[in-house]
Amino acid sequence: MPPHNPAEQAEQLRALARDFEALHARVRNVSYTPGTDALRQISPLLLKAQDLTATALVRLSALESSAYTSIAGSRASLECLASVVFASSLAGNDLASALSANCYEGAPLPGYPADDAAVRTARHAEAIPKMTGHLADAAHQLDLSATGCHYVATGITRDLAAPREAPATARPTTGPALTRAQFDALKSLALGGGRLYETSQRGVGVTRVATDDGTRISITTFRALAKRGLVDRDTSTSLFRGQKITVTGKGHQALAGPHSQAPTSTPAKVAPKPAAVQGVRR
């Protein structure tokens, strides 16, 4: 297929994410009785999962053959989209496993008695927890697929805008002194390290920072440090899996330099109490 405009592909991936979310809801809410009913209820879900896997593979091929690959950071998006293909394939496999664990009401082999009501009940009771587990696994993989599509779409949009923003962000400047939150965040990242993640909440990509020592760092603080060139992240890994954050040489200089002490609120000076006059009593 001919390569698409990257911006157009971002919109296609958002649509694919919505399709994964819709299938995720269907799988989580599916109701069935083991036997013929389960086959009728789960089969359409398996076919839809296979269709979405094929669509994700088409999107990956188109993106890999587009001009987007010449933009910095595109490799992480391609790797993440490949992981979507993998996750959606696993979802299809889990749905097929649910059908494999299903009870089928057919005639037994010659010489064996037909199942009575008690045997059928026991077979159903044995099949239900197995099928439920496979369906839960499928729903999990579909949720990951939706999150991955949202991430790639957001990454494409961000990467396309980065060249236009580069001149503004590349201006060398010492900038204002670090705030207490920025200083604490920089110190925590220098000592223990951290990772940048992106998750999906209600269909919207949410980026967060996770530190090894448990220090809470807001995304606003991280972006302020990154804008000043004090921290960097490993863009060869997708945000979907977590990008390692490192403190740059400039960041270490900011911690060790003469202005490394972050400003704190100065308590108001308390006027000294007048010395008590001794020897006078009332």
Side-chain angles (χ1 to χ4, degrees):
M1 61 180 296
H4 292 287
N5 182 291
E8 177 186 351
Q9 284 219 332
E11 292 304 316
Q12 291 174 339
L13 287 169
R14 291 188 178 94
L16 182 58
R18 291 190 291 270
D19 290 339
F20 274 120
E21 290 167 346
L23 182 57
H24 170 263
R26 289 175 59 190
V27 170
R28 289 200 56 171
N29 298 324
V30 65
S31 178
Y32 65 90
T33 300
T36 303
D37 180 62
L39 180 61
R40 291 175 177 173
Q41 298 297 332
I42 299 175
S43 293
L45 304 179
L46 172 57
L47 293 174
K48 183 62 176 179
Q50 292 173 334
D51 179 61
L52 293 181
T53 299
T55 301
L57 184 58
V58 170
R59 297 286 176 262
L60 175 61
S61 299
L63 190 64
E64 196 274 337
S65 60
S66 70
Y68 174 65
T69 56
S70 62
I71 297 177
S74 58
R75 182 189 301 174
S77 295
L78 292 170
E79 290 176 348
C80 183
L81 192 50
S83 72
V84 170
V85 175
F86 178 66
S88 60
S89 297
L90 290 180
N93 184 67
D94 289 325
L95 291 169
S97 296
L99 291 179
S100 178
N102 186 31
C103 296
Y104 296 96
E105 307 297 338
L109 293 171
Y112 287 85
D115 295 341
D116 57 19
V119 173
R120 284 195 296 272
T121 300
R123 291 180 62 210
H124 286 190
E126 181 181 358
I128 287 176
K130 294 179 181 179
M131 297 175 70
T132 300
H134 291 310
L135 291 172
D137 290 341
H140 174 66
Q141 296 298 337
L142 292 170
D143 185 46
L144 291 178
S145 300
T147 299
C149 287
H150 279 301
Y151 163 73
V152 178
T154 301
I156 291 174
T157 302
R158 181 184 60 243
D159 294 339
L160 292 176
R164 295 192 295 270
E165 296 175 354
T169 59
R171 297 170 188 163
T173 175
T174 56
L178 294 176
T179 65
R180 170 57 62 181
Q182 292 170 352
F183 178 83
D184 290 343
L186 189 61
K187 183 178 180 181
S188 172
L189 293 171
L191 295 177
R195 290 183 178 273
L196 191 67
Y197 291 92
E198 182 161 315
T199 57
S200 177
Q201 296 182 0
R202 299 180 180 179
V204 180
V206 177
T207 307
R208 62 183 181 86
V209 178
T211 59
D212 295 344
D213 62 1
T215 300
R216 299 184 64 179
I217 300 177
S218 70
I219 190 62
T220 302
T221 298
F222 170 79
R223 287 172 178 165
L225 296 175
K227 184 175 182 180
R228 297 175 63 172
L230 304 181
V231 295
D232 199 1
R233 57 191 173 97
D234 181 14
T235 56
S236 64
T237 304
S238 70
L239 282 171
F240 187 48
R241 297 178 180 176
Q243 296 180 345
K244 183 178 180 180
I245 301 172
T246 55
V247 176
T248 64
K250 186 177 179 181
H252 285 289
Q253 291 176 3
L255 288 172
H259 301 290
S260 60
Q261 295 300 321
T264 57
S265 57
T266 303
K269 294 184 178 179
V270 179
K273 295 182 179 180
V277 180
Q278 298 183 2
V280 178
R281 293 196 180 189
R282 291 198 168 190

